Amino acid sequence: MINIYNEINALEATFRKTPEFQALKEAVTVVKEDEEAFNLFKNFRKIQMDLQQKQLAGEDLLEDELIYAQKTAQLAQQNEKITKMIEAEMQLSKLIEEVNRILVKPIQALYEEF
């Protein structure tokens, strides 16, 4: 019997060794070591999470909340360390998307006959 979890755990170990993961790991460390960048990113992330929770709960987003979120996002984007971290995350996301495409190929193949 095949234990898919053994295979996934092996893939996870390999994933950690990819250049994309290593680049993100280094970028996160750089942000964490800079107190200003770290606090700015934490605030940016908290605002994002709060707004997402409100949306999921079906609550309306207030205009002042959106303006504050936009200003915080602009400040975060102006920080070179945060920008590099986000770019590294985007590169890693591309790798994850590619892996996901490969994983769902067998499912897609099943439905190609329809």
Side-chain angles (χ1 to χ4, degrees), residues 64-111:
D64 60 332
E65 290 175 319
L66 293 173
I67 291 170
Y68 182 66
Q70 288 173 342
K71 287 181 181 180
T72 304
Q74 287 172 348
L75 283 174
Q77 290 170 351
Q78 291 172 359
N79 185 294
E80 184 177 336
K81 293 173 182 175
I82 293 173
T83 300
K84 286 184 178 181
M85 183 179 70
I86 291 170
E87 289 171 359
E89 184 179 336
M90 288 170 44
Q91 291 301 312
L92 186 61
S93 290
K94 288 179 184 177
L95 177 62
I96 292 168
E97 288 174 19
E98 187 174 334
V99 169
N100 189 51
R101 261 193 311 274
I102 293 167
L103 286 173
V104 298
K105 270 185 183 181
I107 299 167
Q108 291 173 335
L110 291 173
Y111 288 105

Side-chain angles (χ1 to χ4, degrees), residues 50-59 61:
D50 290 346
L51 291 179
Q52 284 177 354
Q53 285 179 347
K54 283 186 81 168
Q55 284 181 318
L56 290 173
E59 298 177 34
L61 302 178

Side-chain angles (χ1 to χ4, degrees), residues 1-7:
M1 181 170 166
I2 296 175
N3 184 343
I4 194 168
Y5 296 103
N6 290 339
E7 301 294 328

Side-chain angles (χ1 to χ4, degrees), residues 23-41:
L24 178 59
K25 184 178 177 182
E26 290 171 21
V28 167
T29 299
V30 168
V31 169
K32 284 181 176 179
E33 290 174 348
D34 181 323
E35 186 176 351
E36 180 183 339
F38 182 63
N39 288 329
L40 181 58
F41 185 73

